[in-house]
């Protein structure tokens, strides 16, 4: 690619002389390119972290001798037939986890039985018809097929994950595998090249490249995995450098798209496979170039290391927007955050990661991939990290996403925490939620954002906003004259101002109606009293035939409703809150939403409750005030007067 066609972002500014010619000179040999000792380094692998090894051994021994998960063709085709993608994907993920466990045990023991397990897992991946996850495959659109088109492989997140896992296996166990099963590594190189590296270089129309300006978390995730595969599995230095150069350009586009405040519009859950992946790729580049491409270019990349702890409510709970979960399942790769925080010098982010490092427990698990597990096992600072209290900032304001989070005091989740979101309804993984409010008690959400159910074809199809969790009428926003918010970037908050513990915004633009003159919302945490107050005032054009207007509140926990108030017993034994509203005469109806989706039930339990407070009687110009207070043990019983 000619120099004048190169993307000029933060990486290009930091590394003005980069390019394939430079990379060909500075890239270290493939055997040294990945920053993890190979199994031949017995000082490292004869005694890896004992807790992690025993955790992996327990799972691996249960599976040993049993059939590997089968990636059956009819399960792949199901996505195109009935929209189910999970049945196939779960089998793919199970294969990855089993191979990851076996690879670490083989490195630790050099036992022929575990090497056989690795050989079986690697061969199964090489024989798997498609590495692309069915929901991402263009096989139907391009070829009219519902099974992978093996002559035209699609490069997506799934394909990148397989390529990287095979490259890490090759790096970790190359010499033992050559002695144990000659020819296997040649097969690995052939399959990774034809399915991933050649399509990556040949096709420049992949949507995740961001050439149209829309860059999202797929970019660093796939580019990072391609980088691992190219560095380890390509011996030709010229071709290797050309592939790495394309990766650098792709990462540059992603870093350039990060907002200055480091926020992620997809939310906390997607940070780990977006900005975190970018940090991991840049760390790998620094190692593979002997420091020639080092540092952390761009302030946004530095600030985004703080995003996880800025979204932390307390314990396992996080502020979730878009498709994120308020209580993500399983552990996160905290070591990756710890390493990124060290690189940028963010002591709070480092403390947040260290808060999850408990001596005597595994340093990481297999669920996030072999590469991440190997980095955790061989990072001495992470292995030795002492637990630290999470920073829990007193107040966070992220202007790029218009998200405010305020708690009574820094360092503690105690009391009521307020979070409010402005923004627009065209964000990545968007939910129609402009103006939504979340309230947590002692770090546990009470007024909540439900998150998302298990992904299906509908999730990213034309019926996305038929899914109840995506619609504004299941978020904590008004439902104006029977109308929900509409999707799209144009449906956005107006006149947004943030002050200490308070956010003001006009929600009118989020609704596809011309008769809303304004709908102003002010949400604030009163630190002197510990209360949260949300005030809505509106002006509507007269319309006697208009449908009713409601204020919706989505509640987690047990709810009791009285005149002008509701009492909520929060999850996790966090305590109770009392919701009061004015006018007290506004009638309130409740709807119980039974959660039959495992992802939602795993977060919230059996149900969520929606309160619909009818404010139609307030007329075309009105005011509604909601007060949220913590109920202490000495206070009046639920429903009692004060």
């Amino acid at each position: 690619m000619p120099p004048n066609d190169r993307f000029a972002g933060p990486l290009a500014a930091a590394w003005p002389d980069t390019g394939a010619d430079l990379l060909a000179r500075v890239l270290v040999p493939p055997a040294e390119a990945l920053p993890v000792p190979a199994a031949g380094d017995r000082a490292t692998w004869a005694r890896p972290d004992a807790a992690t090894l025993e955790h992996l051994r327990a799972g691996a021994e249960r599976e040993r001798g049993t059939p590997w998960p089968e990636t059956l063709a009819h399960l792949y085709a199901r996505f195109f037939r009935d929209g189910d993608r999970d049945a196939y994907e779960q089998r793919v993920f199970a294969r990855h986890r089993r191979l990851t466990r076996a690879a670490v045990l083989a490195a630790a023991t050099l036992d022929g039985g575990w090497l056989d397990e690795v050989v079986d897992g690697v061969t199964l991946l090489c024989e798997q018809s498609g590495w692309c996850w069915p929901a991402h495959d263009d096989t139907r659109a391009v070829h009219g097929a519902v099974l992978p088109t093996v002559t035209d492989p699609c490069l997506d997140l799934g394909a990148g994950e397989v390529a990287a896992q095979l490259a890490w296996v090759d790096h970790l166990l190359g010499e033992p595998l050559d002695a144990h099963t000659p020819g296997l590594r040649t097969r690995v190189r052939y399959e990774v090249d034809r399915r991933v590296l050649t399509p990556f270089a040949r096709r420049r129309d992949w949507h995740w490249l961001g050439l149209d300006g829309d860059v999202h978390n797929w970019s660093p995730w796939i580019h990072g995995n391609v980088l691992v595969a190219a560095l380890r599995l390509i011996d030709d230095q010229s071709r290797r450098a050309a592939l790495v150069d394309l990766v650098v350009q792709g990462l540059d586009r992603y870093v350039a798209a990060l907002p200055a405040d480091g926020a992620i519009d997809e939310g906390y859950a997607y940070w780990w496979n977006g900005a975190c992946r970018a940090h991991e790729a840049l760390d790998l580049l620094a190692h593979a170039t002997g420091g020639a491409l080092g540092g952390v270019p761009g302030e946004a990349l530095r600030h985004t290391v703080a995003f996880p702890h800025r979204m932390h409510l307390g314990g396992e709970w996080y502020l979730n927007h878009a498709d994120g979960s308020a209580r993500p399942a399983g552990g996160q790769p905290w070591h990756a955050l710890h390493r990124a925080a060290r690189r940028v010098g963010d002591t709070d982010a480092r403390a947040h990661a260290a808060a999850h490092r408990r001596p005597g427990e595994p340093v990481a698990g297999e669920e996030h991939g072999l590469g991440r597990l190997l980095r955790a096992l061989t990072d001495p600072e992470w292995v030795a990290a002492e637990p630290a209290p999470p920073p829990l900032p007193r107040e966070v304001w992220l202007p790029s996403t218009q998200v405010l989070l305020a708690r009574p005091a820094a360092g503690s989740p105690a009391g009521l925490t307020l979070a409010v979101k402005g923004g627009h309804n065209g964000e990545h993984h968007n939910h129609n939620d402009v103006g939504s409010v979340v309230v947590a008690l002692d770090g546990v959400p009470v007024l909540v954002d439900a998150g998302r159910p298990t992904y299906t074809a509908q999730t990213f199809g034309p019926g996305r906003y038929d899914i109840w969790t995506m619609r504004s009428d299941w978020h904590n926003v008004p439902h104006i004259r029977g109308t929900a918010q509409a999707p799209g970037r144009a449906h956005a908050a107006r006149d947004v101002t943030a002050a200490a513990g308070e956010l003001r915004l006009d929600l009118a633009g989020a609704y596809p109606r011309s008769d809303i003159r304004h709908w102003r919302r002010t949400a604030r945490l009163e630190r002197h009293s510990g209360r949260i107050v949300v005030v809505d005032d509106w002006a509507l054009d007269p319309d006697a035939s208009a449908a009713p207007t409601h204020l919706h509140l989505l509640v987690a926990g047990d709810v009791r409703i009285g005149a002008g108030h509701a009492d909520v017993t929060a999850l996790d034994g966090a305590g109770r809150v009392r919701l009061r509203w004015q006018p007290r005469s506004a009638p309130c109806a409740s709807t119980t939403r039974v959660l039959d989706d495992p992802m939602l039930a795993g977060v919230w339990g059996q149900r969520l409750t929606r309160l619909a407070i009818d404010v139609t009687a307030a007329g075309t110009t009105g005011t509604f005030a909601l007060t949220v207070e913590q109920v202490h043990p000495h206070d009046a019983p639920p429903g009692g007067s004060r």
Side-chain angles (χ1 to χ4, degrees):
M1 181 177 289
N4 61 348
D5 287 341
R6 297 178 63 83
F7 182 78
L11 304 192
W15 308 326
D17 297 327
T18 191
D21 290 342
L22 171 70
L23 288 165
R25 297 194 300 273
V26 301
L27 284 174
V28 302
E32 304 168 18
L34 302 186
V36 168
D41 183 344
R42 300 316 294 162
T44 297
W45 289 108
R47 288 182 299 277
D49 179 72
T52 306
L53 190 65
E54 288 312 303
H55 164 76
L56 298 174
R57 187 188 301 277
E61 291 286 7
R62 285 193 300 269
E63 296 170 321
R64 199 173 188 179
T66 66
W68 283 71
E70 294 186 82
T71 53
L72 299 173
H74 83 274
L75 296 178
Y76 199 96
R78 277 194 66 179
F79 174 78
F80 304 98
R81 292 171 176 164
D82 64 17
D84 185 293
R85 56 184 282 181
D86 199 55
Y88 182 86
E89 288 180 3
Q90 290 304 322
R91 295 187 181 211
V92 169
F93 302 157
R95 278 189 170 187
H96 280 289
R97 292 191 296 267
R98 182 166 175 172
L99 177 55
T100 293
R101 287 188 283 264
V104 174
L105 287 166
T109 65
L110 296 180
D111 175 77
W114 289 120
L115 285 170
D116 278 340
E117 183 84 346
V118 170
V119 170
D120 287 344
V122 168
T123 302
L124 282 169
L125 288 178
C126 289
E127 292 176 345
Q128 192 171 299
S129 292
W131 290 353
C132 178
W133 298 338
H136 305 156
D137 201 343
D138 59 9
T139 183
R140 187 162 199 171
V142 177
H143 302 285
V146 297
L147 297 175
T149 302
V150 297
T151 55
D152 187 18
C154 184
L155 176 49
D156 78 323
L157 301 174
E161 282 289 289
V162 177
Q165 185 173 39
L166 293 177
W168 282 109
V169 169
D170 185 272
H171 173 78
L172 180 66
L173 296 167
E175 290 186 8
L177 287 174
D178 273 342
H180 189 73
T181 312
L184 181 68
R185 298 175 72 199
T186 301
R187 175 73 184 277
V188 165
R189 282 159 172 73
Y190 169 76
E191 297 293 349
V192 172
D193 196 350
R194 78 174 182 88
R195 297 176 190 244
V196 172
L197 297 179
T198 291
F200 172 70
R202 176 175 55 83
R203 282 184 57 178
R204 294 280 90 193
D205 62 344
W206 303 110
H207 71 86
W208 45 265
L209 293 175
L211 300 180
D212 60 356
D214 182 22
V215 190
H216 49 81
N217 74 304
W218 282 38
S219 175
W221 192 348
I222 296 176
H223 279 107
N225 281 332
V226 168
L227 177 64
V228 171
L231 287 173
R232 177 60 201 179
L233 301 178
I234 297 298
D235 294 320
D236 181 282
Q237 188 74 337
S238 176
R239 184 175 177 225
R240 190 165 169 253
L243 288 166
V244 173
D245 187 40
L246 288 176
V247 168
V248 171
Q249 293 176 56
L251 293 172
D252 203 8
R253 281 190 176 83
Y254 176 79
V255 174
L258 286 173
D261 57 19
I264 303 298
D265 67 351
E266 296 153 303
Y268 162 81
Y270 287 84
W271 183 89
W272 297 98
N273 284 320
C276 185
R277 295 279 185 176
H279 277 281
E280 290 172 288
L282 292 174
D283 184 49
L284 178 55
L285 270 174
H287 172 85
T289 61
L293 303 187
V296 185
E299 285 302 303
L301 200 60
R302 294 177 178 274
H303 288 312
T304 199
V305 172
F307 186 71
H309 73 258
R310 287 174 172 169
M311 295 296 99
H312 190 202
L313 295 174
E316 299 176 337
W317 296 97
Y318 287 80
L319 176 61
N320 63 309
H321 292 305
D323 278 344
S325 171
R327 181 158 55 179
Q332 303 299 336
W334 295 108
H335 62 92
L337 173 60
H338 195 263
R339 191 161 45 253
R342 300 195 315 254
R343 281 169 56 83
V344 306
D346 189 324
T347 55
D348 280 347
R350 182 172 178 173
H352 182 61
H356 298 83
R357 176 72 186 102
R358 297 175 177 85
E361 295 185 3
V363 298
E366 64 273 38
E367 64 272 14
H368 298 292
L370 178 59
R372 281 178 158 176
L373 177 55
L374 296 179
R375 293 303 311 271
L377 280 166
T378 56
D379 181 346
E381 290 192 62
W382 173 247
V383 172
E386 292 293 329
L392 295 169
R394 183 172 185 264
E395 189 152 330
V396 174
W397 167 239
L398 299 173
S400 68
T401 53
Q402 297 178 349
V403 169
L404 173 78
L405 187 148
R407 56 173 51 90
S412 171
L416 294 175
T417 295
L418 168 69
V420 197
K421 177 186 178 297
H424 59 81
N425 284 335
E427 296 163 336
H428 296 117
H429 291 261
N430 177 71
H431 290 197
N432 291 338
D433 60 355
V434 171
S436 191
V437 172
V438 168
V439 173
L441 172 63
D442 290 355
V444 179
V446 179
L447 297 184
V448 309
D449 183 316
R452 63 137 174 120
T454 302
Y455 282 158
T456 67
Q458 184 182 10
T459 309
F460 300 105
R464 176 177 177 84
Y465 295 100
D466 294 331
I467 301 171
W468 68 272
T469 62
M470 317 297 185
R471 303 198 312 254
S472 70
D473 49 335
W474 286 91
H475 286 81
N476 298 320
V477 297
H479 197 66
I480 304 174
R481 289 179 166 174
T483 304
Q485 295 184 9
R489 192 178 187 91
H491 296 287
R494 304 170 180 167
D495 303 328
V496 180
T497 59
E502 179 180 276
L503 190 66
R504 299 186 178 205
L505 64 170
D506 184 351
L507 312 184
Y511 295 83
R513 299 187 66 97
S514 60
D515 58 350
I516 308 174
R517 297 177 187 175
H518 70 255
W519 192 290
R520 300 190 186 106
R521 168 163 284 187
T522 300
R524 66 178 176 272
L525 168 66
E526 296 182 345
R527 289 194 171 95
H528 64 281
S529 67
R531 302 186 309 172
I532 287 171
V533 179
V534 181
V535 178
D536 286 9
D537 72 84
W538 61 87
L540 310 175
D541 291 339
D543 184 353
S545 64
T549 295
H550 295 87
L551 270 297
H552 285 160
L553 301 173
L554 190 61
V555 182
D558 294 327
V559 184
R560 295 180 62 187
I561 302 172
H565 71 269
D567 292 283
V568 183
T569 302
L571 302 177
D572 293 356
R576 292 190 290 121
V577 299
R578 183 165 297 149
L579 314 177
R580 298 182 183 273
W581 54 85
Q582 292 286 346
R584 292 186 71 238
S585 59
C588 177
S590 67
T591 302
T592 299
R593 188 87 199 198
V594 176
L595 303 178
D596 55 4
D597 180 88
M599 285 200 67
L600 294 172
V603 176
W604 306 115
Q606 296 180 347
R607 67 188 184 279
L608 290 171
T609 303
R610 183 180 68 179
L611 305 183
I613 304 169
D614 191 335
V615 297
T616 309
T620 57
T621 58
T623 300
F624 176 86
L626 172 72
T627 301
V628 185
E629 299 174 282
Q630 182 175 6
V631 178
H632 297 284
H634 61 272
D635 289 342
S641 60
R642 297 189 65 193

